[in-house]
Amino acid sequence: MASALEELQKDLEEVKVLLEKTSRKRVRDALTVEKSKIETEIKNKMQQKSQRKAELLDNEKPAAVVAPITTGYTVKISNYGWDQSDKFVKIYITLTGVHQVPTENVQVHFTERSFDLLVKNLNGKSYSMIVNNLLKPISVEGSSKKVKTDTVLILCRKKAENTRWDYLTQVEKECKEKEKPSYDTETDPSEGLMNVLKKIYEDGDDDMKRTINKAWVESREKQAKGDTEF
């Protein structure tokens, strides 16, 4: 037995044949209206068929697995401290509550000249720190991490033991060296000294500034006194 959709398609074909044969405007208009109605019915039937098919496929799918709750966003770590021993460069990162997260949530990846830290799902956030271009090579196998109360300690094993690191990264070294005053032998030596004092004054704390001011005043007083005696 033919389906309703097949019957409609046959009706449509027959209407098309009649449209081609008729020359009467009134008949053509009536057939055109009928053709549109049949085409609309066919379209509706096909949509219903597709919808039923999709529902059947959905029913056959296994139950969806609910994904675990992920962290909201990642915070970039910029504050840290560091020091060193003969064998290790030690980086200290303070993160409140980090000792309470699962061990696998604290991950550190080392290369010979870099490390990156990722702390996942700490108070609904992730924390990330990437340090590239370490000042000197480190031993990947000998480097590690320790999680203490509110602190992550990263231990970078020096490849060359008993060597001192003046900076943590090569970039930091280059930036500091650029900031150093240049000494031009062709200029007035007193001008170079003034530049050094100015740099120390700008970078110094309040005590340093008071000391420099005091020394400057005393120097000026001595100079004025010397000029008078002369």
Side-chain angles (χ1 to χ4, degrees):
M1 183 177 177
S3 66
L5 182 58
E6 289 174 343
E7 288 294 333
L8 286 169
Q9 288 172 336
K10 290 178 180 179
D11 290 345
L12 181 60
E13 291 301 320
E14 190 165 331
V15 169
K16 288 180 179 179
V17 171
L18 292 171
L19 271 170
E20 290 174 357
K21 292 182 177 179
T22 185
S23 58
R24 304 287 297 175
K25 182 179 183 302
R26 189 173 178 182
V27 176
R28 285 185 64 81
D29 289 344
L31 288 172
T32 300
V33 171
E34 188 63 21
K35 175 175 172 286
S36 296
K37 287 171 61 178
I38 295 171
E39 286 174 341
T40 301
E41 283 189 52
I42 289 174
K43 184 178 178 181
N44 292 338
K45 292 286 185 184
M46 292 182 72
Q47 287 178 344
Q48 291 172 6
K49 187 177 179 181
S50 297
Q51 188 175 353
R52 283 195 298 269
K53 187 176 181 180
E55 288 172 355
L56 288 172
L57 289 173
D58 287 339
N59 292 334
E60 291 174 1
K61 289 180 180 178
V65 178
V66 179
I69 298 173
T70 57
T71 56
Y73 57 93
T74 300
V75 179
K76 185 178 180 181
I77 300 170
S78 56
N79 294 326
Y80 63 90
W82 74 280
D83 63 14
Q84 60 187 303
S85 64
D86 290 340
K87 295 182 179 180
F88 290 94
V89 173
K90 306 171 187 178
I91 298 93
Y92 301 86
I93 300 103
T94 300
L95 289 172
T96 303
V98 69
H99 57 287
Q100 297 174 337
V101 303
T103 304
E104 61 270 18
N105 281 23
V106 182
Q107 303 170 359
V108 183
H109 177 256
F110 297 95
T111 72
E112 193 176 69
R113 294 295 291 271
S114 72
F115 69 84
D116 62 85
L117 165 70
L118 177 62
V119 179
K120 297 189 290 186
N121 200 17
L122 173 59
N123 299 323
K125 304 173 189 174
S126 290
Y127 292 82
S128 166
M129 178 181 179
I130 300 174
V131 177
N132 294 314
N133 298 315
L134 290 170
L135 184 68
K136 299 178 182 180
I138 62 173
S139 167
V140 175
E141 297 78 14
S143 299
S144 61
K145 72 168 190 314
K146 289 183 180 179
V147 178
K148 300 184 177 183
T149 304
D150 298 331
T151 303
V152 178
L153 171 60
I154 296 175
L155 298 163
C156 296
R157 181 69 179 255
K158 296 177 179 178
K159 263 199 169 179
E161 296 181 4
N162 300 310
T163 57
R164 177 174 175 76
W165 289 31
D166 293 323
Y167 308 95
L168 182 60
T169 66
Q170 187 68 30
V171 173
E172 184 181 346
K173 176 186 176 184
E174 292 172 358
C175 289
K176 291 294 184 182
E177 287 179 346
K178 285 180 182 178
E179 291 176 0
K180 289 182 180 178
S182 59
Y183 298 94
D184 188 347
T185 56
E186 296 181 1
T187 59
D188 185 353
S190 62
E191 184 179 343
L193 178 60
M194 289 296 295
N195 288 335
V196 173
L197 289 173
K198 183 179 178 183
K199 181 63 180 173
I200 295 173
Y201 186 90
E202 289 175 350
D203 293 344
D205 56 18
D206 291 339
D207 289 338
M208 178 63 73
K209 290 177 179 178
R210 279 194 292 269
T211 300
I212 293 174
N213 283 333
K214 183 179 178 182
W216 176 258
V217 171
E218 289 175 355
S219 174
R220 298 293 292 178
E221 287 176 352
K222 285 181 181 179
Q223 185 178 357
K225 191 175 180 180
D227 289 342
T228 304
E229 291 175 354
F230 179 79

